[in-house]
Each structure stands twice: as C-alpha cells, then as structure tokens.
Amino acid sequence: MKEKIRLVDDSGIRTDGRKPDELRPIKLEAGVLSNADGSAYIEQGKNKILAAVYGPREVHPRHLALPDRALLRCRYHMAPFSVQERKSPAPSRREIELSKVIRESLEPAIFLERFPRTAIDLFIEVLQADGGTRVAGITAASLALADAGIPMKDMVAACAAGKADGHILLDLNDLEDKEGEADVPVAYMPSINRVGLLQMDGQLTPEEFEKAFNLAIEGCKRIYALQKEALKAKYLAIKEAVEEAGQK
Ligand code: ADP
C-alpha cells in the first residue's frame, strides 16, 4: 500500500514552511512583452506564467465575429518543459478545458459590448507548473488585459484553497494538490463582489467547503492588492522615464 505523505506537521506547518492560511510568495509584473498589446508575468511559489493579450482587433476568420460584442478567445498552454515529465506540446483535453474556464472567468469583467465585431486574444503560457496554474493564469491574464487598456468592470483575482491531511489550506502547491483531499479554485472581482470561477475537485463536507471558499476569497483579496501594485509600478516607471526625458 502507498505510504501517506504528511502534508501538515503537529504545529500546523506545511511542507514548504507555510501556515494554513498563507499564500506562496508572489511576484507580479505588468507590461513585460513589447510585441503584445498587454502582458503580465506571475511567479507564485514555483509557478512561472506569462500572459499576453492582443486586441481588440479584427476577427479572423471573419464569420466568427459577433454583432453585439467582442469575441474573447483564450489559449492556456503548458510548455513541454513546465513539468518534470516532458509534456506533449499538442493541446491536451485538460488544456482545452482550462482555456474555456479561464475565458468564462474573465468574460464577466470585460466591457465586451464596447467592441462589437472585434476579437480579444489571450495567451497564457505556463513556463513552470507547481499546482494552481489556472488561478495564477487568471490573475496574470486580468493584469495583462488591464495593461492592454481594455476597459473592465474590475480586475479578476484568482486563488485556490483546499484540504490536505485533514486541514483546510490556502493556495495548494503541486504536492498538496496531488496528495490532498480537495481543491477549490475561485476567481473573484472584489470591488463588484462577483465570483467568475468556482470549481471543486475532491470531497468536502458543506462546512469544509464554506471554509475553503471563504479562505480562497480572502486569498483573492490579497492577490488583488498585488495586481493593483503591479499596475501602479508600471505607470510610475513610465512617468519617471517621461520626466527624465523632459529634463534632458
Ligand atoms: P491547476 O494547475 O490549475 O491546479 P490541475 O489541478 O489540473 O490544474 O493540475 C495541478 C498540477 O498538476 C499542475 O499545476 C501541474 O503542476 C501538474 N500537472 C498538470 N498537468 C501535468 C502533466 N501533464 N504532467 C505533469 N504534471 C502536470
């Protein structure tokens, strides 16, 4: 029989040294790619993910254009070197599903009706994966959309919570995701109080689910603050560069 790995020790500390309600270290940067209309990069623990946005632009093929709103297209892709066993570069069923759920979690945030007959194309490239890539991908994607200047009702922050070793934990890493009992990814727009993604993998009692959901929302709020900081940092850098050029 497979021996069960201990994921939380007697003092409540996880294998990576975190407390149950602690996020992994997060680094977020906006405007990292010069050839995309908007872009962002996130590191969340060992996850490394790039998001790039093009548009609103003409739709090809043209028959896909919608008369009353922009068409949002999303491709979530894991690089072959993003996991320990080389992943086939061909789109897997998982990547097709994640592309759809990520698109659906972002659609409610964007004023798509302002850009009829156009397309907004979003690319999420997972360079290194360590659990929770769909939520980290959504966090980076909404920062990239904001960086592209696409009008949004709110930024979408995403985070998962789950259960491992009988404990409700925030922001599961790959080991906790694989060895744990459940995972609840959530995408949330704090200033309009709207949930755009809610999934559950595994088993939880109704009470555990409520606890995990509330913890994930708390994680989203903390990530939202980091997204705003990343946007501000980009515009502050531009302002400083303009001022410096003006002084010369
Ligand atoms: P998420 O990344 O959103 O948590 P999953 O629950 O499907 O999505 O995947 C959990 C983790 O499993 C991923 O973050 C990644 O670390 C790992 N993983 C996913 N696909 C593969 C794969 N093809 N090979 C190895 N590891 C994978």
Side-chain angles (χ1 to χ4, degrees):
M1 212 174 94
K2 202 176 141 203
E3 205 182 311
K4 204 157 176 348
I5 302 172
R6 282 211 70 189
L7 298 168
V8 181
D9 72 14
D10 292 336
S11 45
I13 299 298
R14 298 153 73 172
T15 52
D16 54 11
R18 282 185 290 156
K19 296 188 197 113
D21 61 351
E22 200 174 329
L23 289 169
R24 288 174 282 183
I26 296 178
K27 182 182 147 191
L28 256 177
E29 202 178 336
V32 291
L33 301 170
S34 53
N35 294 335
D37 293 326
S39 59
Y41 175 66
I42 186 166
E43 282 181 13
Q44 185 161 356
K46 291 188 202 137
N47 285 318
K48 295 184 181 193
I49 302 171
L50 266 174
V53 170
Y54 292 89
R57 61 181 180 179
E58 211 172 298
V59 187
H60 293 290
R62 288 180 88 136
H63 71 268
L64 294 178
L66 303 170
D68 58 343
R69 66 197 146 97
L71 174 71
L72 179 66
R73 292 187 285 207
C74 173
R75 189 189 76 165
Y76 163 100
H77 180 248
M78 282 175 90
F81 49 80
S82 64
V83 286
Q84 252 169 7
E85 291 273 322
R86 179 186 174 275
K87 188 208 143 278
S88 159
S92 62
R93 279 182 61 179
R94 175 180 171 273
E95 285 169 306
I96 295 166
E97 184 213 323
L98 292 203
S99 299
K100 178 179 177 285
V101 300
I102 292 171
R103 173 173 56 75
E104 288 174 350
S105 73
L106 294 165
E107 269 170 346
I110 308 170
F111 286 103
L112 293 169
E113 64 282 5
R114 293 207 193 156
F115 306 100
R117 302 197 166 279
T118 68
I120 298 170
D121 290 309
L122 172 62
F123 298 90
I124 295 172
E125 284 292 322
V126 179
L127 307 176
Q128 189 168 286
D130 189 41
T133 59
R134 82 191 62 196
V135 281
I138 292 168
T139 298
S142 75
L143 186 59
L145 287 164
D147 181 51
I150 292 172
M152 290 195 285
K153 291 164 202 152
D154 199 2
M155 206 119 71
V156 187
C159 189
K163 184 180 169 193
D165 245 358
H167 297 259
I168 301 297
L169 304 176
L170 183 62
D171 188 21
L172 304 186
N173 63 29
D174 190 42
L175 182 70
E176 292 167 340
D177 188 340
K178 294 219 164 71
E179 302 290 332
E181 291 96 80
D183 183 28
V184 181
V186 174
Y188 180 57
M189 288 159 267
S191 55
I192 57 172
N193 192 26
R194 188 165 168 180
V195 171
L197 169 79
L198 175 57
Q199 293 184 297
M200 188 175 113
D201 186 16
Q203 286 191 347
L204 293 175
T205 64
E207 294 74 28
E208 286 171 339
F209 172 78
E210 197 178 332
K211 200 173 163 199
F213 174 72
N214 289 334
L215 192 57
I217 292 284
E218 182 53 41
C220 291
K221 289 181 183 166
R222 286 186 227 160
I223 290 171
Y224 184 72
L226 299 176
Q227 286 174 309
K228 281 187 165 175
E229 262 176 43
L231 261 188
K232 275 191 203 150
K234 183 195 159 176
Y235 287 101
L236 205 62
I238 293 174
K239 188 170 165 258
E240 280 167 6
V242 169
E243 281 169 2
E244 209 173 292
Q247 280 163 11
K248 278 185 189 153

